[in-house]
Amino acid sequence: MPAPRVLTVEVLITDLENPRGIGVDTEGALLVAEAGYGEDAEDLILRTGRLTRFRDRNGDGDFDDPEETERWLDNLFSFNSVNKYETGRDEVSGATDVLVHDDGRVFLSLDGGIDRTGGTFILYELDGNGTLLREINQDSNMTGIGFSPDQRSVYATQSTHNSLIEIDLERGENRQIVVFDDLYSGQQSVPAGLGVDPTTGDVLVALFSGVAKAEGEACRFVPDVMCDGRYLPLIPTDAKVVRVDPESGAVSDEVTGLTAAVDVAADAAGNVFVVEMAADYGQLFHPGVDLFLADLPALHGGYVRFSGRVTMYPAGGGESRILAEGLDQPTNITVALDGALYVSTGQGTPGRPIPGPNGRTVITGEVLRISGYK
């Protein structure tokens, strides 16, 4: 009899700068989008985002050799919401997600920060060798993307508009599928990542939650000057994953009771995998703070560090299973054809001091691989 599989969670790539979406091409190489450094109070937008192809050419299980790393795109826009939008949260945005088409083409989404007003996004199209073919411009931000079943269009979440759209890849036009209702607590839905269920064609959307009024006891982690009239990053257990019929726009709850649901994916059998970025919110930053100072205190900076997790929800029901927990702000998940899960972690200003499980540490962007879960 074959030996039983053992659940394994391993660090595959480290020292990244805000890794986000992960694509797997036909050769098994990983295409990793990095949002970059963000910016400081004086330089509101930097060009530090990038797209890199990692291929284990010698089969040793890592990407340490120079010939195993190939930069495809560089100098992509990057910004931090602490100073750009004065949210108090150390959130770096820029490159958000990666898709690999069956014909080898690659699509990369870029969220906001195109100019100092923000709110614009670009969907880049590249060939299988990393050559930029075109830019598909749209009119709002984009936090997650996924192919339609026939791969003729791309579904995209727009967190600013609380909506899900479909982008026709031939004409570059978009169609609004649905605007999501507010959540139970009255927070806006804030759609984040998405995944397409291959067994039904439905779109699964992670509703992150956000924009709840900060007052009274809720101000416990918010600096006094930021509390009155400001808003909380999240309310624990108010987030959820919903299932959307892309034709009718009908929405139904898939998984409820989540906190900071940031991405979702489904495998060929219809199993659903949900990423929760954090379990609660933590101390916020004042606008104008220099997040690159080495002697900054070790603060959470908006969300509690090392409290993220990945949970599997079996197709057809059954008991859910936590596959990984205690993760440092995971943001994206991808299911490979062989069933392996790739998860990006370490959201925030690279190298900033933060509270860790064993004391003071720093933000380090990583890609994890989860295997042997079934």
Side-chain angles (χ1 to χ4, degrees), residues 26 99-107 147 150-152 169:
T26 56
L99 298 175
V100 180
H101 197 280
D102 286 346
D103 64 14
R105 285 180 297 162
V106 174
F107 293 85
F147 283 126
D150 61 10
Q151 296 194 333
R152 293 181 179 177
L169 292 178

Side-chain angles (χ1 to χ4, degrees), residues 129-147:
N129 297 309
T131 301
L132 182 61
L133 300 177
R134 61 173 174 155
E135 299 176 2
I136 305 174
N137 296 291
Q138 302 295 331
D139 61 0
S140 184
N141 77 315
M142 176 166 54
T143 44
I145 55 176
F147 283 126

Side-chain angles (χ1 to χ4, degrees), residues 16-345:
L16 299 173
E17 297 160 4
N18 276 285
R20 290 292 192 272
I22 303 165
V24 185
D25 68 18
T26 56
E27 294 183 315
L30 300 185
L31 292 164
V32 180
E34 294 172 77
Y37 291 145
E39 83 299 305
D40 57 31
E42 295 183 356
D43 193 353
L44 292 183
I45 296 177
L46 298 177
R47 289 177 171 268
T48 56
R50 58 195 185 189
L51 175 65
T52 307
R53 185 175 189 260
F54 295 89
R55 183 184 177 194
D56 183 14
R57 293 182 180 275
N58 59 14
D60 63 357
D62 59 40
F63 305 96
D64 290 341
D65 299 324
E67 64 271 17
E68 295 181 324
T69 301
E70 181 183 1
R71 189 82 69 232
W72 274 19
L73 286 181
D74 218 332
N75 300 313
L76 300 176
F77 287 100
S78 176
F79 67 92
N80 194 308
S81 67
V82 166
N83 291 310
K84 185 172 176 61
Y85 299 118
E86 298 186 358
T87 63
R89 302 190 298 271
D90 183 9
E91 294 179 281
V92 178
S93 297
T96 59
D97 214 348
V98 182
L99 298 175
V100 180
H101 197 280
D102 286 346
D103 64 14
R105 285 180 297 162
V106 174
F107 293 85
L108 170 71
S109 56
L110 189 68
D111 174 29
I114 303 307
D115 54 33
R116 289 184 178 270
T117 64
T120 304
F121 75 75
I122 292 175
L123 184 64
Y124 287 110
E125 180 183 347
L126 302 90
D127 67 16
N129 297 309
T131 301
L132 182 61
L133 300 177
R134 61 173 174 155
E135 299 176 2
I136 305 174
N137 296 291
Q138 302 295 331
D139 61 0
S140 184
N141 77 315
M142 176 166 54
T143 44
I145 55 176
F147 283 126
S148 63
D150 61 10
Q151 296 194 333
R152 293 181 179 177
S153 61
V154 165
Y155 302 124
T157 49
Q158 297 180 300
S159 60
T160 300
H161 290 174
N162 296 305
S163 65
L164 174 68
I165 64 172
E166 181 177 15
I167 305 167
D168 185 293
L169 292 178
E170 181 178 351
R171 296 187 297 273
E173 300 172 349
N174 69 54
R175 173 182 71 92
Q176 181 172 281
I177 296 174
V178 64
V179 175
F180 296 104
D181 293 334
D182 289 348
L183 300 177
Y184 178 77
S185 65
Q187 293 187 101
Q188 291 187 32
S189 55
V190 190
L194 65 82
V196 177
D197 185 342
T199 67
T200 64
D202 292 340
V203 185
L204 301 168
V205 181
L207 302 184
F208 185 85
S209 80
V211 195
K213 192 70 173 290
E215 54 190 7
E217 174 61 19
C219 291
R220 65 192 187 278
F221 289 132
V222 185
D224 291 341
V225 297
M226 297 186 64
C227 188
D228 186 23
R230 298 282 176 164
Y231 296 88
L232 295 178
L234 57 89
I235 291 180
T237 74
D238 203 37
K240 61 183 178 180
V241 169
V242 294
R243 181 177 290 270
V244 181
D245 182 325
E247 297 303 320
S248 68
V251 179
S252 60
D253 288 349
E254 180 75 10
V255 184
T256 59
L258 302 172
T259 300
V262 70
D263 202 9
V264 59
D267 65 13
N271 299 304
V272 175
F273 305 90
V274 178
V275 179
E276 293 170 273
M277 193 177 81
D280 206 340
Y281 62 92
Q283 306 100 326
L284 296 171
F285 285 108
H286 291 269
V289 65
D290 186 348
L291 297 172
F292 298 97
L293 287 177
D295 60 352
L296 275 178
L299 298 179
H300 294 287
Y303 306 100
V304 174
R305 314 296 308 198
F306 295 97
S307 63
R309 65 182 181 180
V310 177
T311 306
M312 174 181 175
Y313 296 86
E319 188 173 347
S320 62
R321 181 185 179 193
I322 296 176
L323 302 183
E325 55 187 337
L327 305 180
D328 185 31
Q329 295 198 8
T331 54
N332 294 72
I333 186 168
T334 296
V335 183
L337 290 177
D338 63 1
L341 308 177
Y342 293 95
V343 179
S344 55
T345 66

